[in-house]
Amino acid sequence: ATPDAVAVTAGETELTYRQLNEQANRLARYLAGQGVGPESAVALLMERSADFVIAILAVFKAGGAYLPVEPDYPADRITHMLTDARPTLILTTTTLTQHLPQTAHPGHVVVLDQLPGLDGYSDENLNDTDRTTPLLPDHPAYILYTSGSTGRPKGVTMPAAALTNLLAWHDQTIPGGPGRTMVQFTATSFDISIHETLSALLTGATLAISREGIRHDITAFTHWLHHHHVNEINAPNLVLDALYKEAAEQHLPLSHLTDITQTGEALTITPALRNLYAHHPDRRLHNHYGPTETHVITAYTLPEHTTDWPTTPPIGQPIANTGIYVLDTRLNPVPTGVAGELYATGAQLARGYLGRPGLTAERFVACPFGTPGERMYRTGDLVRWNRDGQLEYLGRTDHQVKIRGFRIELGEIETVLSTHPTITQTAVIAREDRPGDKRLAAYVVAADGTTLDEDALRAHVREALPDYMVPSAFVVLDELPLTTNGKLDRRALPAPDYLSATTSREPVTDQEKILAALFTEVLGLEHIGIDDNFFELGGHSLLATRLVSRIRSELGVELSIRALFENPTVAGVAQQLESTKKTSRPRLRPRPRDDE
């Protein structure tokens, strides 16, 4: 309908809908010639870019399922994903070939920037005669790997019909279309990323992709959203809270931002959030819920006026063609107001776990309320219906949590820790000692005659798991506390003492004193020494962006996120600021505009 409208913008690259479709068609025909089709997978080991979007569409058009592989994942995790999924092809770029495992067959690897020109392939849309076999709604659209309780990540296979149902519902719920801009923000391994991409492209909107460095710098990202007139964003609660605070500090109203969707974890109403919406009554806040095995299955849009917002927002009602049951342990429906486990049925269910029939049968069970053969997915989430007919989220029934939007099986972290030669027992829990600040804490018991080194344990976990699964604190215990039944007594696990490892060296200069105060403020601690490591005291990437913003506000100087990661102490930051002496950007102010 709008072939010359901008479909994708990424850095200096802009693609119209005509260009995007033609390039995707040519690549799709090449993939089909290489054997890609229904029931085959294509791994995408690529950075977020316009080429990444072309590759996704090409895989879809050929009839295959795409498997996103984050380049910064540990080598063991990448190897497991590619070995387990056995993709027909692996699409990557020259700069990322170093991340390929040695077991990858060269004949299965396509380096896109070294691929000979595809001009010889037709740019017309594909049909079933161009594919290896006819494409059906139940054929898989994508495979996403999630954390596994046994230490082995599992691949969720999602059929095209479920994705189509989700996008049709989204189009009816959140207005899209030409003239609107949707940001592709979430990690490519997060199911929301494909929701962002296709909800924009199937309605004629513009999909805007930020550079990775901007995406991880909340100040730069806030300005980027303002500059690109972004209308819609999906992000986890902590990211949005940081965005709200930064927008207020930078006096950026983000007036074009009309639809904000929180997904990935429980929505928390903060003062910064209320303030952002109080001045923009036409802005809508959506709360979406759904595990990877179903994608989004319930949704709730908060009332127009913030005075009508509930203290704890519900997760809403089922989306189109989806059924929800709240059941007790005997699979009986529970009354309104009573907690039960959430089960989902209908169009949004995944096919199951790739190559894991036993686990699939355990989680995708027969539905006693539906037609013969109908399945329902047991989410492991506790919910209840309220009197308004809305679902309220209460927590998990098992050993699974969400940190910063990422679903994590704590057992996977425990499995990795247990392989350390000096550890005999371990337990990992998610703590929220400060409201809204959820962190992983690992409790370990050392083998007789050995001493545990926290830095060594952190390095050991980081070798096997992504950064978001590395605990913020490691607590050494003589023994794990147990209940009278002999089970782990999680309530008896002590809160991590982040101050125990602090040095006695105090700040001396005025700058060090200000920096130390900012470190303690952001970390929620009472005191730190100037040689204490920000990340070892519980800091993470989102808190790092907050700290950089506070340094800019208080000292009027620029500090990059990279500089903080390389110099994560008060002394290191002070030295970095002294060596760069880079003043902060002037605050944006209204100015007269000439004809240009």
Side-chain angles (χ1 to χ4, degrees), residues 511 559 567 572-582:
Q511 187 180 66
L559 178 73
N567 305 275
V573 170
Q575 185 177 7
Q576 180 73 14
L577 295 181
E578 184 64 27
S579 62
T580 59
K581 294 184 178 179
K582 182 179 179 182

Side-chain angles (χ1 to χ4, degrees), residues 301-321:
T301 299
L302 275 75
E304 178 180 347
H305 300 290
T306 58
T307 53
D308 298 327
W309 285 6
T311 304
T312 303
I315 58 175
Q317 295 180 333
I319 74 166
N321 302 309

Side-chain angles (χ1 to χ4, degrees), residues 138-193:
D138 195 47
H139 282 137
Y142 63 78
I143 300 169
L144 291 183
Y145 275 79
T146 67
S147 181
S149 59
T150 62
R152 179 187 171 195
K154 52 187 182 290
V156 176
T157 304
M158 185 63 69
L163 187 55
T164 304
N165 183 72
L166 173 71
L167 294 166
W169 166 82
H170 182 277
D171 186 39
Q172 295 295 318
T173 307
I174 301 178
R180 283 178 62 86
T181 299
M182 172 79 176
V183 60
Q184 200 286 294
F185 171 76
T186 56
T188 58
S189 58
F190 202 6
D191 54 6
I192 296 302
S193 66

Side-chain angles (χ1 to χ4, degrees), residues 66-346:
Y66 91 97
L67 165 65
V69 181
E70 297 274 5
D72 58 356
Y73 271 175
D76 287 348
R77 195 177 187 87
I78 292 177
T79 300
H80 169 76
M81 291 170 63
L82 296 180
T83 303
D84 188 59
R86 292 179 293 178
T88 302
L89 291 178
I90 302 171
L91 303 188
T92 188
T93 58
T94 301
T95 56
L96 297 179
T97 53
Q98 59 181 319
H99 296 282
L100 289 170
Q102 294 181 350
T103 55
H105 191 284
H108 295 168
V109 178
V110 176
V111 183
L112 291 175
D113 50 338
Q114 296 179 10
L115 193 65
L118 299 175
D119 294 340
Y121 291 88
S122 170
D123 59 14
E124 294 296 319
N125 290 326
L126 285 74
N127 54 44
D128 279 345
T129 61
D130 301 309
R131 302 186 181 101
T132 57
T133 59
L135 184 58
L136 301 175
D138 195 47
H139 282 137
Y142 63 78
I143 300 169
L144 291 183
Y145 275 79
T146 67
S147 181
S149 59
T150 62
R152 179 187 171 195
K154 52 187 182 290
V156 176
T157 304
M158 185 63 69
L163 187 55
T164 304
N165 183 72
L166 173 71
L167 294 166
W169 166 82
H170 182 277
D171 186 39
Q172 295 295 318
T173 307
I174 301 178
R180 283 178 62 86
T181 299
M182 172 79 176
V183 60
Q184 200 286 294
F185 171 76
T186 56
T188 58
S189 58
F190 202 6
D191 54 6
I192 296 302
S193 66
I194 192 59
H195 187 176
E196 294 169 326
T197 300
L198 293 185
S199 63
L201 297 180
L202 293 184
T203 60
T206 296
L207 180 70
I209 304 174
S210 67
R211 295 197 311 271
E212 206 65 28
I214 292 177
R215 179 172 169 266
H216 290 292
D217 183 336
I218 198 65
T219 300
F221 183 63
T222 305
H223 281 276
W224 185 89
L225 291 174
H226 176 77
H227 174 73
H228 284 81
H229 296 173
V230 170
N231 305 113
E232 187 178 346
I233 182 175
N234 284 277
N237 194 65
L238 279 177
V239 173
L240 293 178
D241 190 53
L243 173 65
Y244 306 146
K245 293 176 181 177
E246 190 63 32
E249 287 188 5
Q250 298 297 324
H251 301 285
L252 293 176
L254 300 178
S255 54
H256 294 86
L257 193 56
T258 58
D259 289 276
I260 300 176
T261 300
Q262 194 286 147
T263 185
E265 56 192 5
L267 174 60
T268 303
I269 301 298
T270 64
L273 174 59
R274 287 185 182 276
N275 183 63
L276 186 70
Y277 274 81
H279 299 89
H280 297 277
D282 58 336
R283 180 173 287 157
R284 294 173 292 273
L285 177 60
H286 312 280
N287 191 24
H288 288 179
Y289 161 85
T292 304
E293 289 83 351
T294 64
H295 211 118
V296 175
I297 49 174
T298 69
Y300 176 78
T301 299
L302 275 75
E304 178 180 347
H305 300 290
T306 58
T307 53
D308 298 327
W309 285 6
T311 304
T312 303
I315 58 175
Q317 295 180 333
I319 74 166
N321 302 309
T322 301
I324 295 295
Y325 296 98
V326 183
L327 309 177
D328 61 19
T329 56
R330 296 174 180 264
L331 298 185
N332 294 314
V334 300
T336 297
V338 176
E341 184 174 354
L342 190 156
Y343 288 76
T345 65

Side-chain angles (χ1 to χ4, degrees), residues 27-68:
L27 182 56
R29 292 180 183 279
Y30 168 81
L31 296 178
Q34 301 298 310
V36 174
E39 298 297 338
S40 63
V42 178
L44 304 186
L45 179 62
M46 302 174 64
E47 302 282 3
R48 296 162 64 254
S49 63
D51 287 338
F52 185 79
V53 177
I54 293 171
I56 291 176
L57 296 179
V59 173
F60 283 159
K61 286 171 175 286
Y66 91 97
L67 165 65

